[in-house]
Amino acid sequence: MTPTASELLLGNFLSMMEPPPPEAMGDFMQGKVAVTGMISLLAAQEAERGAEARLWENGAIRDLLAQGNAAVPAEAETDRDFSIAGLDRTNAILRRALIDLHIAVENAGDTALDHAILRFYVKSADMRRLDLPPLPAS
């Protein structure tokens, strides 16, 4: 499971609400704050770019399905719910159809469509990439 930005931020909140025991101060607390900060940074990136990436993916998958003369599942013909969870539900349906198409394309030896699908995977991964900050100088 990939947690959503809201689940990550809720986890951060719960983590910081409980005070540590006295023996856990110092390095442990410093590490806890650093990890919480890192999760917040990654969640902020996801909140900023997540919907755009999913909308692009859903449209690109529909285009690939059309190129392969494959049916778009009725429940995924359009994006109706623009929340991240709603876009993820549609994306999951479309990805299952894309996997079926990709299997058929590979079996048929359709190199052009196979390469188009592979380019989609690369662009999709790039759009969902989250960037870690540089490590502090020691």
Side-chain angles (χ1 to χ4, degrees):
M1 174 194 140
T2 302
T4 64
S6 58
E7 290 168 335
L8 289 169
L9 293 173
L10 178 60
N12 279 355
F13 169 75
L14 294 173
S15 171
M16 297 307 288
M17 287 301 298
E18 186 175 315
E23 66 274 10
M25 297 303 282
D27 288 344
F28 175 81
M29 190 61 182
Q30 182 180 356
K32 182 177 179 178
V33 170
V35 168
T36 301
M38 180 68 66
I39 291 170
S40 294
L41 173 70
L42 298 175
Q45 291 176 47
E46 173 62 16
E48 180 66 26
R49 301 187 304 235
E52 176 186 14
R54 285 158 176 83
L55 283 167
W56 175 84
E57 284 178 8
N58 291 353
I61 294 171
R62 288 184 192 101
D63 290 345
L64 289 167
L65 293 172
Q67 288 176 43
N69 296 315
V72 174
E75 63 272 28
E77 287 178 353
T78 61
D79 293 304
R80 293 181 182 95
D81 179 352
F82 294 103
S83 68
I84 294 291
L87 293 170
D88 278 344
R89 279 189 294 277
T90 301
N91 190 269
I93 295 165
L94 289 168
R95 282 183 179 270
R96 281 191 290 276
L98 180 61
I99 290 167
D100 292 340
L101 173 63
H102 201 180
I103 291 168
V105 164
E106 287 180 334
N107 289 337
D110 184 344
T111 306
L113 189 50
D114 182 45
H115 287 175
I117 293 170
L118 294 174
R119 284 190 300 274
F120 162 79
Y121 292 142
V122 170
K123 171 94 183 202
S124 177
D126 186 55
M127 290 191 72
R128 288 193 181 225
R129 184 189 78 240
L130 300 176
D131 300 313
L132 296 172
L135 294 172
S138 30

